Amino acid sequence: MTTVTKRHALKLLGGAALAAPFAGALPAFAARESELNILCWEGYNSAQVLDPFRSAKSATVKAESLTNDPTMINRLRAGETKVWDLINVNNPWARKAMYPEGLIKPLPKAEFEPFFDKMLPQFKAPYRWAMSDDGKDLLGMAQRFGPYSFVVNTDKVSRKTAEEQGWELFNDPSLKGKYGILESDDWNVFNIFMIAGINPFKVHDAAEMATFGETAKKVFGGAKLVGDIAAMNQALVSGEIDLHMTGGTYSVSPARADGHPELRAVTPLKGPIDGKGGISWIEITSTVNNPNLSPLAAEFLKYVQDPKVAHTVAFAEGTFNPVAQMGNKACFDLFTKEELDAIQWDSLEEEMSRSAEYDIVPDYDKALEIMTSAKRTKG
């Protein structure tokens, strides 16, 4: 668990400007009508999304982005429920972890469920990942989503070959030294299980963990490089690598928008999760169980449902993605042909149908330890 002291968190958030969230527990600082703090994935923290809301509400809005769901949730577990008003993470965490642990609050269903009626069909209420396990409470709002498996340069590996061979590409000795690995611990754990032919979202026995470990050593040992999204896209464009794992619309869409349609996210035709070859993600944004929650939290959740704002969220600085609000024609019509191509709208539905939804790996800590050890051996 990440341990973050209040002093450390204040430093991260800009010091005195954000003193009020911590002071919010004190009566003298009870009012928070003009401030909002958001912990989120990249995109929601962009000025394009935040500035209009800041101006409209004359509010101080701070947002911090991280690239790992467990780390964000551990921040709340470490006491930062007093800091944040909204948290934006992938689909299973609200239902399976944050709500049972008392880290988030349910939303008023009468106010927020009608927004789901305008979303794409798969998100209509009651949308499973937005609801509590007993189906009674609404825990958050869906927005960005997409398939996320691996990315190829189709000039080097055809889409057909990639879809048919799937994860076996990373077992192919002829591709040793020709692929990269995106730095993303949780997704790399998922992918290495998939390459090993094992469903990641179950409890694993000793033999499966041993296979996972051997696969991790082989995969990291054969990688040309390990890096961030920019490094992966640059290496694909330059020809340094032919493909990389842990990737999808989220990672490759900026390169496609920059004029590289040959780079394409691929979802395998088959795989070890009940036959499904890929994994998809859906972001759920929830209100934190902050004892002094800003009233702007609910206002912001409504703000990002607006068709124009939802389109801005889809194309926020950094990464481009489909949004659930594309079910609303007023939102969908804002997307240009080029933008739809960047997010691979042409194959989105079939790729989502081939994907299992992101879930929690029950023995994640053990798998992460094994994978980290394998990564170290690469040097």
Side-chain angles (χ1 to χ4, degrees):
M1 176 179 291
T2 302
T3 300
V4 181
T5 66
K6 290 181 178 180
R7 183 176 179 181
H8 182 209
L10 278 172
K11 183 178 178 183
L12 289 171
L13 293 167
L18 275 181
F22 290 115
L26 303 174
F29 292 88
R32 297 193 57 228
E33 285 82 1
S34 61
E35 63 181 40
L36 177 69
N37 300 324
I38 307 170
L39 187 60
C40 57
W41 277 84
E42 181 182 35
Y44 294 93
N45 61 335
S46 75
Q48 298 161 277
V49 176
L50 298 182
D51 280 353
F53 187 79
R54 287 174 174 135
S55 298
K57 302 295 182 182
S58 300
T60 299
V61 181
K62 300 286 186 181
E64 182 181 346
S65 72
L66 297 176
T67 57
N68 185 291
D69 292 323
T71 299
M72 282 194 269
I73 293 161
N74 283 341
R75 297 273 292 269
L76 300 188
R77 289 167 172 155
E80 293 191 30
T81 49
K82 295 177 182 176
V83 178
W84 306 105
D85 299 296
L86 292 171
I87 182 167
N88 161 252
V89 291
N90 283 307
N91 47 290
W93 298 101
R95 179 187 177 103
K96 292 190 173 182
M98 292 193 295
Y99 189 55
E101 294 177 34
L103 300 175
I104 58 174
K105 295 179 177 180
L107 296 169
K109 289 173 73 173
E111 284 185 49
F112 285 94
E113 246 184 13
F115 288 109
F116 286 84
D117 293 338
K118 294 184 178 180
M119 295 183 186
L120 290 166
Q122 61 267 40
F123 299 101
K124 299 297 184 188
Y127 177 56
R128 176 174 178 254
W129 291 117
M131 303 301 294
S132 60
D133 198 43
D134 61 8
K136 294 180 179 178
D137 294 318
L138 178 62
L139 305 182
M141 301 300 290
Q143 194 137 25
R144 302 189 302 184
F145 70 99
Y148 205 74
S149 293
F150 59 86
V151 174
V152 300
N153 181 335
T154 55
D155 290 341
K156 303 291 184 64
V157 180
S158 73
R159 177 183 171 186
K160 182 175 185 293
T161 297
E163 288 180 337
E164 290 179 352
Q165 294 193 22
W167 299 104
E168 280 302 312
L169 288 172
F170 295 91
N171 288 319
D172 184 345
S174 69
L175 289 176
K176 183 177 181 180
K178 295 182 179 180
Y179 63 85
I181 299 177
L182 183 66
E183 288 178 326
S184 179
D185 285 344
D186 47 353
W187 283 94
N188 285 337
V189 165
F190 301 168
N191 285 7
I192 289 170
F193 272 120
M194 297 294 272
I195 294 167
I198 299 169
N199 180 347
F201 305 126
K202 62 184 278 292
V203 176
H204 304 96
D205 60 27
E208 289 171 328
M209 277 300 190
T211 301
F212 174 85
E214 290 304 312
T215 305
K217 287 179 184 176
K218 180 177 63 181
V219 169
F220 276 99
K224 175 75 172 180
L225 74 160
V226 179
D228 60 17
I229 288 175
M232 289 301 111
N233 284 331
Q234 184 177 8
L236 284 168
V237 170
S238 69
E240 185 179 4
I241 59 173
D242 296 346
L243 69 164
H244 77 85
M245 65 171 238
T246 302
T249 308
Y250 190 97
S251 70
V252 77
S253 52
R256 289 176 59 83
D258 281 344
H260 294 284
E262 75 276 14
L263 307 188
R264 188 169 185 97
V266 168
T267 303
L269 293 173
K270 59 185 179 181
I273 309 177
D274 299 327
K276 292 184 181 291
I279 300 171
S280 62
W281 55 275
I282 306 100
E283 288 177 348
I284 300 293
T285 306
S286 303
T287 48
V288 173
N289 191 12
N290 187 325
N292 196 15
L293 184 70
S294 168
L296 293 179
E299 293 301 311
F300 187 83
L301 285 178
K302 294 175 182 175
Y303 160 76
V304 294
Q305 300 302 313
D306 178 271
K308 291 183 179 178
V309 181
H311 175 260
T312 300
V313 169
F315 273 80
E317 179 182 355
T319 175
F320 312 141
N321 300 280
V323 290
Q325 290 70 24
M326 293 174 80
N328 182 349
K329 187 176 184 302
C331 179
F332 185 85
D333 287 348
L334 296 173
F335 286 76
T336 66
K337 178 179 180 296
E338 291 75 20
E339 288 174 340
L340 291 173
D341 184 63
I343 62 173
Q344 298 185 198
W345 180 256
D346 62 323
S347 61
L348 179 65
E349 186 173 350
E350 64 178 291
E351 297 203 48
M352 289 297 287
S353 72
R354 287 185 222 149
S355 299
E357 293 168 331
Y358 179 119
D359 211 335
I360 296 172
V361 177
D363 37 22
Y364 175 78
D365 289 345
K366 176 67 174 175
L368 178 62
E369 181 182 346
I370 292 170
M371 187 185 76
T372 302
S373 176
K375 184 178 176 181
R376 287 197 199 100
T377 64
K378 179 175 175 56

